[in-house]
Each structure stands twice: as C-alpha cells, then as structure tokens.
Amino acid sequence: MPIAETKIVSARFDDPEAKNIDAYEKSGGYRAARKAVRMDPAEIAEQVKASNLRGRGGAGFPTGIKWGFVPKDADTVYLVVNADESEPGTFKDRHILYWDPHLLIEGMICASRALRVRNAYIYMRGEMMREYKVVQAALDQAYAKGYLGKRIFGSDMDLDITIYRGAGAYICGEETALLSSLEGGRGWPRLKPPFPAVKGLFGKPTVVNNVETIANCGFIVEHGGKAFAEFGTERSGGTRLLSVCGHVEKPGVYEVTMQTTGREVIEEVCGGMRGGRKVKGVIPGGVSMPVLLPDELDVPFEFDALQRDERIREVEVHPGQKFDLGGGRTLRTMAGSGGVVVMDETTDMTKALWRILHFFHDESCGQCTPCREGTGWLVAVAKRIAFGDGRPGDVELLADIANGIAGNTICALGDAAAWPTLAFLTKYRDEFVAKIPRAARAVTGAAAALETSP
Ligand SMILES: Cc1cc2nc3c(=O)[nH]c(=O)nc-3n(C[C@H](O)[C@H](O)[C@H](O)COP(=O)(O)O)c2cc1C
Ligand code: SF4
C-alpha cells in the first residue's frame, strides 16, 4: 500500500478547522505535549533515537544522533525549525504550516523539552505570507492557553517560539546561512565544523531541523519510538511526505510509506502519466538530486535505497579490497527533500538542465569561486546547447566544470548544481550531443570526464 494508512503528518490536511486550537485538541492534539513537559528530557531523546527518524530537509541525517551532538552541560540551547522550503519541486512543508500549524508547534514543544530549549525559532521563507499568518495565529492561540510562555501546561518548563521571516534567498535554507540570517547578518553559509549543534545561533548549541522532521516528534512522544520505527524500513522510521509535480495525472502532496517505489508513486499515487505518455526521467528529491531513468524507478523512494544499486554486487576479496561483480550502473541519487519531478517523453532534457542550472546560478551566494564562477559557466554552456548554439566539446566542458565544482565549495549548493549536471549528461548524453551542430566530432573524452560523477 503506497499511501500511508496511518497518516502521521498529513491527517489534518484539507480540514480547515484544524488550524483552530480547540478543533486540534478535539482530534487528539496537544496530548503529546502535555506528556512531554512532564517527561525526563533524556527519555524523549532516547525515544527519538529509537524511532529511526531521519531529517526530512534533504540529507536524511538521523535526528536522534544530531540531537546527541548537543553538549549535555550547555547553559543555552536553541531549536530552529527550517521552514525556508525553496528547492524547486519541493512544496510539502508549506502544507504542514498551512493546514496543521499546531502539529508543528506541538512537535517543537516535544523537541524543546528533549533539548532543554527555552527559545525556539521558525525560520520561514519570506514569500509564504499565507502560511506566516496561519502559524502566527496558531502561536497566539497557544500562548493564550498557556501552552507557550512561562510554566507551560502548568509544568516547570518555559518556552517561547518566534517566527523569523526570510527575504527570499534560497541559500538561507542551508542551515548555517539560515543562522547567519537569523542573527541579522548576510545569509552566507559558514564552514563546518563547528556544526550548529555545538556552535550555532549566537555561538550557542543549536539544533536545526526541517518542518516535517519536527512535525513527527509529537507522534513519537505519544506512541513511542518503536511504533514510529515500525512504519518504516530498518534504518528509516515513519512515513514521508512527497510533493509530486510535473507530467502526472494527479500532482500533489502525499504521505507515503518508506517502501513506496518511484513507479508506485507515478502509477498508483498520482494516477499515472498525464495523457498516457511515457516517462522519460524522474528527479526523486528536489532538483539538486540526480535524475533517474525509467528503468530505475522500481526502487523505494527512501534514503538508503536511492543511494545504492541493487544490480551492483560488491564482494570483499581480501580485507579492504573490493571487487565489483558488475551488472549495471549505480543509481547514486538521494531521497533529498521529497520533491518528485516527473518528466515525460516530450521533455527536452537539455532545456530542463539549463533551467535547473539557471536557478542555482541565480541563488549562489557568491562566496566561493568554484560555485560563483562555475555555476555561471554551467548556465552559459547549457543554454547554448539547449538552444542549438552548442560548440564541439561542450558536453565535455559541462562535465569538466561540474567536476570542478563538486566537493570544492563551502556549502552543498555547489554540489546541487554539479550533481544534476553530471547525471543529465550521463543519462541523456545522446540528446545533448545531438543538439550540438556537427556533434559527431565532439564526443571524444566525455566518458573520462563523466567518470567522477556523483
Ligand atoms: C542550498 C541548501 C538549501 C537548503 N534548503 C533547505 C530548506 O529549504 N529546508 C530544509 O529543511 N533544509 C534545507 N537544507 C538542508 C539544511 O541545511 C539542513 O540540513 C536541514 O534543515 C536539517 O534538517 P533535518 O535534519 O531535519 O533534515 C538546505 C541545504 C542546502 C545546502
Ligand atoms: S557553494 Fe555557492 S552558495 Fe555555497 S557558500 Fe559557496 S558560493 Fe555560496
């Protein structure tokens, strides 16, 4: 069953009443928060670890482990919810913010108890005016009832939550850029380490988590980590939200099981391809993630499965010496932020890549040279290929530039431009070459350049 039978984060989607705190409570809301404020913080953290909850913001990092990095003796710890959601193709967090703001607030109360946080922030994408109004109204209701502020729910816990609105820069979704912006500075990423959990907002230990990640915390506190873990796979608990867009019959936001494959997403969840056309490519987790071919879709769209390739079998001949039995290419993509972009057979892949690269170049903060200069060159070369002005050697040039960016920048925006480039070039190479006039002369050396693709 691809659609999750137990809906953890989307149960109240489409219910306009749920924004109201009384209706939210009637449907079981704030039970977890009441329980959490009387629990030992360490016990909540243990339950989150046991839940196998993994971050839904992009990297899929285990939440319990991240929380464990916060020094135990810290006098001040901050929680920051990343609600900047700007990755093209990703539009799931805004559904939680708009339809179920109290679920997020309740999750923040639970997380704050575990982390001994007294001041928490929601860093919200500036363009989300509608969501901002809804979440602010929900916060006001929670304050009025004594669920936020001093001695919440009559316990010994104080908690204030403040919304901070960004000004529309995609880079401010990167956690260290977000913290710089929240401090009032320019949204520039910082080198890691130190990681925010050790030195974050105003130099204090700070946990940055995605909206969906935190929205799961109430369920974990109420039902236990084990119950949450059981919904998922061995290393990834719970369900996940996918925002699906592109050439499917029913695009939208869906809560699915971790076991759901890409093909099931298209065929069963989204009603098939629009107009019965054939699928040409699917980006599984926001446009920074490498694209998948039609024959790579029978893989669960979850964190581990998308990174490995079942068809490649590695055996260890001697300790440390691996032998590849062959059998196919590796998928080497990621589940990312859950933004699924489906492209049908009519899609011009050269134009799709150009459009993606245009976005990353536009959003580069300009701090490091490979990203600032490299993304500019990627766009220029991709554009001339896409519009029929490509030159001999341009495919190799694109791959070369991408390889020069990947792994050589302060933050992952550089990789976010390089990875899709290398994947598009590897998987749709003939289409790129065919767009270059007298392309036959331009193919030498491309294979070598693509060797180090992600
Ligand atoms: C360029 C860039 C943009 C990002 N944008 C977002 C975003 O909009 N929302 C988000 O939750 N994480 C985003 N991330 C990931 C965050 O840096 C961070 O890993 C995440 O918020 C951690 O939360 P999680 O552990 O709950 O996933 C972005 C990362 C990069 C490199
Ligand atoms: S990789 Fe790009 S966005 Fe990230 S710090 Fe460097 S220039 Fe800025």
Side-chain angles (χ1 to χ4, degrees):
M1 192 63 195
I3 299 263
E5 278 173 11
T6 301
K7 296 207 169 84
I8 299 175
V9 285
S10 69
R12 297 183 188 85
F13 284 8
D14 298 325
D15 173 7
E17 285 303 306
K19 296 178 186 68
N20 186 305
I21 198 162
D22 295 328
Y24 179 76
E25 287 201 271
K26 238 183 232 157
S27 65
Y30 285 115
R31 273 204 303 247
R34 281 176 209 280
K35 183 176 171 185
V37 297
R38 290 177 175 83
M39 278 172 80
D40 177 13
E43 169 60 12
I44 301 177
E46 268 315 305
Q47 290 302 324
V48 171
K49 230 186 221 172
S51 74
N52 288 340
L53 173 64
R54 288 172 70 171
R56 307 293 201 248
F61 194 81
T63 306
I65 294 181
K66 184 191 271 189
W67 290 10
F69 294 150
V70 173
K72 298 279 168 287
D73 56 352
D75 54 356
T76 304
V77 179
Y78 293 112
L79 170 70
V80 180
V81 169
N82 190 339
D84 197 51
E85 189 172 63
S86 319
E87 171 100 0
T90 310
F91 47 96
K92 60 171 182 85
D93 291 340
R94 71 195 63 187
H95 274 243
I96 298 176
L97 298 168
Y98 181 73
W99 290 109
D100 209 353
H102 288 288
L103 185 76
L104 175 66
I105 297 170
E106 182 161 22
M108 290 179 76
I109 295 171
C110 296
S112 297
R113 178 70 181 179
L115 296 161
R116 301 173 198 272
V117 165
R118 290 187 298 275
N119 283 290
Y121 297 88
I122 303 172
Y123 188 99
M124 199 180 286
R125 178 177 172 169
E127 292 96 325
M128 291 189 197
M129 181 48 98
R130 189 181 76 143
E131 288 75 8
Y132 163 67
K133 285 183 180 162
V134 167
V135 178
Q136 187 57 58
L139 286 174
D140 294 343
Q141 289 176 343
Y143 270 105
K145 285 218 167 195
Y147 300 172
L148 288 174
K150 298 268 177 246
R151 304 185 64 81
I152 63 175
F153 297 100
S155 72
D156 61 356
M157 178 175 163
D158 300 341
L159 178 64
D160 284 306
I161 298 181
T162 309
I163 302 178
Y164 185 93
R165 297 180 58 220
Y170 165 71
I171 195 57
C172 288
E174 195 280 336
E175 58 185 5
T176 58
L178 182 156
L179 295 177
S180 302
S181 168
L182 191 49
E183 287 170 355
R186 193 169 179 174
W188 270 10
R190 309 170 184 172
L191 273 175
K192 293 185 271 192
F195 290 93
V198 177
K199 190 169 179 226
L201 188 63
F202 306 118
K204 299 290 183 186
T206 303
V207 167
V208 182
N209 271 134
N210 172 260
V211 169
E212 185 188 344
T213 311
I214 292 296
N216 277 301
C217 290
F219 184 96
I220 295 168
V221 166
E222 192 176 350
H223 302 281
K226 189 163 168 281
F228 185 86
E230 279 169 0
F231 288 115
T233 57
E234 199 186 333
R235 282 165 26 103
S236 188
T239 57
R240 68 181 306 224
L241 282 182
L242 295 180
S243 57
V244 191
C245 61
H247 302 147
V248 287
E249 286 289 348
K250 292 188 293 173
V253 177
Y254 301 97
E255 184 165 353
V256 298
T257 64
M258 288 286 176
Q259 294 81 0
T260 305
T261 67
R263 204 169 305 283
E264 287 170 330
V265 170
I266 295 173
E267 296 302 330
E268 295 179 38
V269 178
C270 296
M273 294 297 290
R274 200 175 60 185
R277 293 208 183 100
K278 286 195 190 121
V279 60
K280 184 168 182 181
V282 177
I283 299 172
V287 297
S288 55
M289 296 302 149
V291 61
L292 294 170
L293 288 166
D295 67 348
E296 294 174 323
L297 298 177
D298 295 305
V299 170
F301 268 25
E302 64 82 40
F303 301 102
D304 291 328
L306 281 170
Q307 279 182 281
R308 67 174 176 254
D309 180 3
E310 302 298 344
R311 288 166 299 180
I312 288 194
R313 302 271 175 272
E314 270 188 342
V315 290
E316 197 145 307
V317 187
H318 299 294
Q321 190 188 347
K322 295 241 173 98
F323 179 70
D324 183 355
L325 294 174
R329 58 187 171 257
T330 161
L331 295 178
R332 284 190 292 185
T333 188
M334 283 170 77
S337 55
V340 180
V341 182
V342 182
M343 294 171 280
D344 74 15
E345 57 194 323
T346 66
T347 310
D348 180 333
M349 290 314 211
T350 66
K351 286 193 176 148
L353 178 63
W354 163 64
R355 194 62 198 83
I356 289 170
L357 293 174
H358 186 278
F359 172 80
F360 287 120
H361 175 53
D362 217 40
E363 297 294 339
S364 165
C365 82
Q367 204 183 166
C368 39
T369 311
C371 173
R372 183 187 61 242
E373 303 297 322
T375 54
W377 281 107
L378 286 179
V379 182
V381 178
K383 186 176 179 184
R384 67 183 186 224
I385 295 176
F387 290 94
D389 296 324
R391 301 172 193 165
D394 268 359
V395 172
E396 294 87 333
L397 183 59
L398 264 189
D400 236 4
I401 301 166
N403 276 320
I405 299 172
N408 294 321
T409 54
I410 294 174
C411 86
L413 188 140
D415 299 329
W419 290 348
T421 304
L422 293 165
F424 269 80
L425 292 181
T426 310
K427 297 182 177 182
Y428 304 97
R429 191 168 170 281
D430 291 349
E431 192 173 333
F432 281 82
V433 171
K435 274 250 177 155
I436 299 175
R438 286 172 291 144
R441 288 200 265 122
V443 296
T444 48
L450 294 172
E451 204 95 290
T452 51
S453 63

